[in-house]
Amino acid sequence: MSLKKLEKLSQAANTYKAILNAMEEWVVIVDHQAKIFFINRPYARFLGVKAEDVKGKKVTDVIENTRMHITVQTGQAERLSFQKILGSNMIASRFPIVDQGEVIGAVGTVIFHDTHEWKQINSHIKALLAEQDFQYQKSIASDKANTGANFHLNDIIGDSQVMKSLSAKVTQVASGDVTVLIRGESGTGKELYAHAIHQLSDRAEFPFIKVNCAAIPENLLESELFGYEEGAFTGAKKGGKPGKFQLANGGTLFLDEIGDLPLLMQAKLLRVLQDREVESVGGIGSTPLNIRLITATHRPLESLIASGDFREDLYYRINVVAIDLPPLRERREDIAKLADFFLQKLSRRTGRRAPKLTVQALTAMLAYNWPGNIRELENVMEAAFYTSHDRKIPLSLLPTQVSQTENLSPPNHAPLGITPPIGSLKDQLNVAERNIIKTALIECGDNRTKAAKQLGISKSTFYEKLDKHGIS
């Protein structure tokens, strides 16, 4: 090893010497031969040695059960491993010091000086996380208790042009009282948009009631939707029970999976929507209704009409304004941001630092078609989060259907899901520049300073190009 690299190690140790000596954590630094270069005073005091006396000695001769020499040999970090020193179980971490690709030493820390201390800290962290989660759930419960809606338009992740257009349409539609039909494949976030429309409307302070038409048995649907009077049928609750329509009065009723509604109920629903009043099961009078109706389906209603499984008159009644949610494969540029959102969400829930996707893993995810859409992406990220090491998510941690090689270059899609160049030479150069910038951002984890440096341009020029190409 060159003298220059030894000098670098010395400069680093001397720079932080006062800080390291002031720390309660124990710190040791070794050189490329696993000889002690620096040991802070608290560590030396525990070992019963003087820091100056052990400098230059082999770390294995000074620290019991050390693995610092192994870290120097392998260049691999070891985090939070048990180490027995002078009869006490410690928890230690070891990290290689690398300069220009070469291991020039290693630094080791002992954070917890015995397992009892670790257990105490662990219990304290669990208590803090439980309190944080309690406050978060309390705020959500408060929102739900007030109206039943707890998602806003800002909760929807996506910077792609199709998502910006969708947000603009939702904002425009929400302010009126028009009936909305939300269409999209399973997992595209239909319920999220229903919540958002309600929150943006004049009815935001009133109830938001959701009904999953596919989840309620057919024989219970009428009483669930329209309510019932006391004695209306065997087992009817004393005093009766209001239905979802009555509960939603003044607010918004969201009928999810309306394509699964039985034909008989379709006829009754149509009558309620036409008359704007509802009669409970076993009732003798009608209740006037003042609701906004939002429906959603993943099924092709036109095909259901053709097969006789969905009423055409009801279709026109609910399809006043249609909002079509794009599948994830049509907004691939949002995948990286969505993935990071889910990882950060898990990080907040667990208190563990969020891992980062490797370029290979992200490339595979951008090429995959995501039949389960955003719900599938969230599940994949959750599995990867809990199985990741070294704060990275490599290709190997993704499910087979995502990581297999035949998915890496799907037909009709450009590499990384970016736009293929078309048009005049000027247009093609602009598209190519935009794709290069987007690829650099992906590879640099959306760090704009790093991306600018990687492309060899100044930060101000990089921001000008982001503006030029509408990349946010």
Side-chain angles (χ1 to χ4, degrees):
M1 179 176 293
S2 68
L3 186 61
K4 188 177 178 182
K5 289 184 178 177
L6 282 171
E7 285 174 357
K8 281 188 178 181
L9 199 60
S10 180
Q11 286 169 3
N14 288 332
T15 301
Y16 298 105
K17 187 175 180 180
I19 297 171
L20 295 174
N21 278 325
M23 292 171 62
E24 287 187 9
E25 289 76 13
W26 302 342
V27 181
V28 62
I29 301 172
V30 300
D31 63 16
H32 66 292
Q33 295 178 324
K35 292 180 179 178
I36 293 177
F37 199 85
F38 171 83
I39 187 167
N40 72 342
R41 285 179 192 150
Y43 204 172
R45 195 179 302 122
F46 172 77
L47 294 171
V49 298
K50 289 185 178 179
E52 298 78 13
D53 293 345
V54 296
K55 186 174 180 180
K57 289 187 177 182
K58 287 185 177 180
V59 69
T60 49
D61 294 336
V62 178
I63 301 175
E64 186 182 1
N65 298 316
T66 184
R67 289 176 56 85
M68 292 289 290
H69 56 300
I70 296 172
T71 301
V72 171
Q73 290 167 7
T74 64
Q76 299 295 315
E78 296 182 357
R79 293 181 177 84
L80 302 177
S81 60
F82 281 106
Q83 181 179 342
K84 197 160 197 171
I85 309 175
L86 302 181
S88 295
N89 287 315
M90 314 278 179
I91 297 179
S93 296
R94 308 163 193 94
F95 305 91
I97 302 171
V98 181
D99 182 62
Q100 297 180 4
E102 185 180 358
V103 177
I104 62 172
V107 58
T109 60
V110 178
I111 301 174
F112 304 113
H113 304 155
D114 56 46
T115 50
H116 175 68
E117 183 178 323
W118 175 81
K119 286 177 181 177
Q120 281 186 316
I121 294 291
N122 188 44
S123 296
H124 181 62
I125 290 171
K126 282 183 177 179
L128 289 174
L129 285 172
E131 174 63 21
Q132 183 184 42
D133 187 58
F134 171 75
Q135 294 300 335
Y136 175 68
Q137 296 299 334
K138 187 178 175 183
S139 68
I140 290 178
S142 175
D143 282 348
K144 274 192 168 183
N146 290 335
T147 65
N150 57 309
F151 294 109
H152 300 261
L153 195 59
N154 290 339
D155 294 320
I156 298 168
I157 307 299
D159 291 328
S160 59
Q161 191 53 52
V162 66
M163 294 303 289
K164 288 177 181 176
S165 300
L166 194 57
S167 292
K169 184 175 183 179
V170 165
T171 303
Q172 186 179 10
V173 166
S175 58
D177 221 17
V178 65
T179 300
V180 177
L181 171 62
I182 304 173
R183 308 181 69 155
E185 296 177 9
S186 292
T188 49
K190 294 185 289 295
E191 183 179 344
L192 201 67
Y193 275 93
H195 282 248
I197 291 169
H198 174 77
Q199 297 280 31
L200 288 169
S201 74
D202 292 337
R203 297 177 181 268
E205 302 302 316
F206 296 94
F208 175 87
I209 303 295
K210 173 198 166 184
V211 180
N212 187 328
C213 299
I216 302 173
E218 187 174 347
N219 61 325
L220 297 178
L221 255 174
E222 185 174 7
S223 59
E224 278 294 312
L225 288 176
F226 309 136
Y228 59 82
E229 299 296 323
E230 183 177 342
F233 51 83
T234 304
K237 188 188 293 184
K238 187 177 180 181
K241 179 186 174 184
K244 302 299 185 184
F245 274 88
Q246 289 95 328
L247 293 172
N249 216 2
T252 301
L253 179 66
F254 173 48
L255 297 181
D256 197 8
E257 302 298 355
I258 196 166
D260 292 296
L261 202 63
L263 277 168
L264 179 61
M265 282 307 303
Q266 290 178 33
K268 293 184 178 181
L269 174 61
L270 180 64
R271 191 189 70 232
V272 169
L273 297 178
Q274 286 173 337
D275 298 342
R276 286 285 168 179
E277 57 182 29
V278 63
E279 184 179 316
S280 57
V281 177
I284 55 173
S286 299
T287 304
L289 281 180
N290 172 25
I291 64 164
R292 181 186 199 161
L293 182 69
I294 301 175
T295 60
T297 183
H298 73 282
R299 304 184 69 184
L301 296 183
E302 294 81 3
S303 299
L304 294 177
I305 292 169
S307 64
D309 294 314
F310 200 85
R311 293 180 63 109
E312 189 173 14
D313 46 5
L314 178 60
Y315 171 75
Y316 289 119
R317 176 67 65 174
I318 64 173
N319 189 27
V320 180
V321 172
I323 291 179
D324 295 301
L325 305 188
L328 195 52
R329 61 184 172 275
E330 291 179 10
R331 45 178 290 219
R332 294 173 190 269
E333 55 266 57
D334 293 328
I335 289 175
K337 191 167 185 178
L338 280 163
D340 185 62
F341 170 79
F342 292 131
L343 292 171
Q344 294 298 335
K345 180 180 172 184
L346 288 162
S347 173
R348 288 191 297 273
R349 187 195 303 169
T350 61
R352 174 186 167 191
R353 192 180 302 178
K356 292 287 183 185
L357 288 157
T358 62
V359 174
Q360 292 83 0
L362 183 55
T363 301
M365 288 169 58
L366 289 167
Y368 180 57
N369 273 337
W370 299 103
N373 292 294
I374 299 166
R375 187 182 295 119
E376 182 184 8
L377 174 61
E378 182 173 14
N379 291 340
V380 167
M381 287 300 92
E382 185 166 5
F385 180 90
Y386 286 110
T387 54
S388 64
H389 300 285
D390 298 328
R391 295 198 290 277
K392 288 183 182 177
I393 298 175
L395 184 64
S396 59
L397 288 186
L398 300 182
T400 306
Q401 71 269 22
V402 180
S403 63
Q404 59 189 357
T405 53
E406 57 261 37
N407 281 328
L408 297 184
S409 298
N412 305 320
H413 289 101
L416 294 178
I418 53 183
T419 313
I422 53 173
S424 67
L425 177 61
K426 184 179 178 181
D427 290 340
Q428 291 193 47
L429 287 172
N430 279 331
V431 170
E433 184 177 71
R434 186 174 190 271
N435 288 343
I436 289 167
I437 290 170
K438 290 183 75 174
T439 303
L441 282 169
I442 289 169
E443 290 178 349
C444 296
D446 213 27
N447 186 311
R448 298 182 177 197
T449 303
K450 283 184 181 178
K453 189 175 180 182
Q454 179 177 299
L455 294 173
I457 58 177
S458 68
K459 196 172 176 182
S460 59
T461 302
F462 186 73
Y463 275 93
E464 284 173 13
K465 292 186 181 296
L466 290 179
D467 248 5
K468 173 186 172 184
H469 297 294
I471 301 172
S472 56

